[in-house]
Amino acid sequence: MGVVNLGMQVAGFIAPLTIGFVIDAFDGSLNGAVWLLVSSFESFVLSLLWPQNWERKVS
């Protein structure tokens, strides 16, 4: 339980810094931040849809 809480606290600290860095890198434009969020969401969806092999094969 504590590890999950720590992970969420760290993510809550790093996410705004990352978005701010991307906005600064794109000279104040939000286009970079939007592309970052869209690409992160797409990778999340692809990881859910990726076929998994749940059966163990015993030789």
Side-chain angles (χ1 to χ4, degrees), residues 21-57:
F21 176 75
V22 170
I23 290 172
D24 283 344
F26 280 82
D27 296 325
S29 174
L30 294 176
N31 289 337
V34 169
W35 281 109
L36 175 67
L37 294 174
V38 168
S39 62
S40 297
F41 180 74
E42 285 178 349
S43 64
F44 169 71
V45 170
L46 285 175
S47 71
L48 290 178
L49 297 176
W50 196 267
Q52 298 289 323
N53 186 7
W54 296 102
E55 297 178 19
R56 279 190 162 190
K57 294 182 180 180

Side-chain angles (χ1 to χ4, degrees), residues 8-29:
M8 289 182 188
Q9 295 294 325
V10 170
F13 178 76
I14 292 175
L17 291 176
T18 304
I19 296 294
F21 176 75
V22 170
I23 290 172
D24 283 344
F26 280 82
D27 296 325
S29 174

